[in-house]
Amino acid sequence: MRALNLKSMLLGSATALAAASGSAMAADLGPYQPYNPPPEAAPVYQPAIWDGAYIGINGGYGWSDARPTEPEGGFGGGQIGYNWQRGRVLFGLEGDFQGADISGRAYTFDGDTARSDMNWFSTVRGRRGFTSGPWLLYATGGLAVADVDHRANLEGQSFRGSDTLTGYAVGGGLEWKFSQNWSAKAEYLYLGLGDSKLTADNGDFVRINNDVQTVRVGLNYHF
């Protein structure tokens, strides 16, 4: 009996000591608990809000430093295009047509005169840009076509030329999609159209440059 009581006392003492140790450790930790990092947030899906076809209108102003006429004036027209958005990168194709009144006149004291008129122009361009929510910043470039008329009276000779010129267009712009279906844009384009050759009746000729810089604003509807 005495051996059994001694064994029970030893077991009881060990159990009490273990419980006391556990309580002491918990007391030592106090309010501090092991750090369990929160689960990583799932990536937020960014919808391709620029994908698809669009059509719109625009208007702007064009000018040239080409001497002697230095033409300038307004234009207006429309555009149609399609965008492909992959993540934040956008690829697009756009065509536009503008009626224009970009013209200039030059006079001298000797009675010489010159006149230049750009009646319309059109471009077909690729676009590449980067999106940030409703904003799109892009570069653009492609083909430019324009109809121009020139007249000059120099030293008693009359020179005339009317051409449909083909060249290039390069530039860039910023577009803002302010609703699901509508966006507004501001754009700069340089039209490199080369020279026109004006010929007189006796075979003499002069050349006038047709390069034009343009700025425009536009409104697009996205389907």
Side-chain angles (χ1 to χ4, degrees):
M1 291 292 293
R2 298 180 70 179
L4 181 60
N5 290 337
L6 181 60
K7 184 177 181 180
S8 297
M9 291 175 62
L10 290 173
L11 287 173
S13 299
T15 302
L17 181 60
S21 298
S23 299
M25 290 177 65
D28 289 341
L29 286 173
Y32 301 103
Q33 300 297 328
Y35 174 71
N36 293 317
E40 293 185 5
V44 179
Y45 172 67
Q46 297 291 337
I49 65 173
W50 293 93
D51 256 353
Y54 61 90
I55 191 169
I57 58 174
N58 72 80
Y61 195 80
W63 71 96
S64 173
D65 296 328
R67 296 182 180 276
T69 56
E70 298 182 356
E72 59 182 332
F75 62 84
Q79 65 272 349
I80 186 170
Y82 197 95
N83 293 321
W84 295 268
Q85 184 178 347
R86 299 296 179 266
R88 293 186 60 193
V89 180
L90 179 137
F91 301 92
L93 183 66
E94 181 173 291
D96 62 62
F97 182 89
Q98 323 294 328
D101 184 20
I102 302 175
S103 59
R105 308 288 185 270
Y107 306 92
T108 70
F109 291 111
D110 298 332
D112 293 342
T113 62
R115 173 177 174 175
S116 300
D117 296 286
M118 180 177 289
N119 304 308
W120 59 262
F121 67 90
S122 178
T123 71
V124 179
R125 296 171 282 108
R127 299 202 304 170
R128 181 173 181 178
F130 294 93
T131 66
S132 179
W135 294 95
L136 167 64
L137 181 66
Y138 64 90
T140 183
L143 175 71
V145 181
D147 179 74
V148 296
D149 294 322
H150 296 287
R151 301 188 190 92
N153 291 293
L154 305 173
E155 298 179 354
Q157 294 191 76
S158 179
F159 297 82
R160 292 178 179 272
S162 181
D163 298 296
T164 300
L165 302 172
T166 300
Y168 65 89
V170 293
L174 180 66
E175 193 164 353
W176 172 45
K177 200 166 188 186
F178 57 86
S179 74
Q180 181 178 357
N181 296 106
W182 292 96
S183 68
K185 71 173 184 177
E187 185 177 77
Y188 167 85
L189 284 180
Y190 183 93
L191 308 182
L193 297 167
D195 295 340
S196 287
K197 182 179 178 180
L198 283 64
T199 306
D201 293 337
N202 64 358
D204 290 345
F205 66 89
V206 296
R207 293 185 180 275
I208 293 182
N209 184 263
N210 299 287
D211 294 353
V212 173
Q213 300 183 68
T214 69
V215 290
R216 71 177 86 180
V217 293
L219 183 69
N220 287 326
Y221 178 81
H222 298 257
F223 296 98

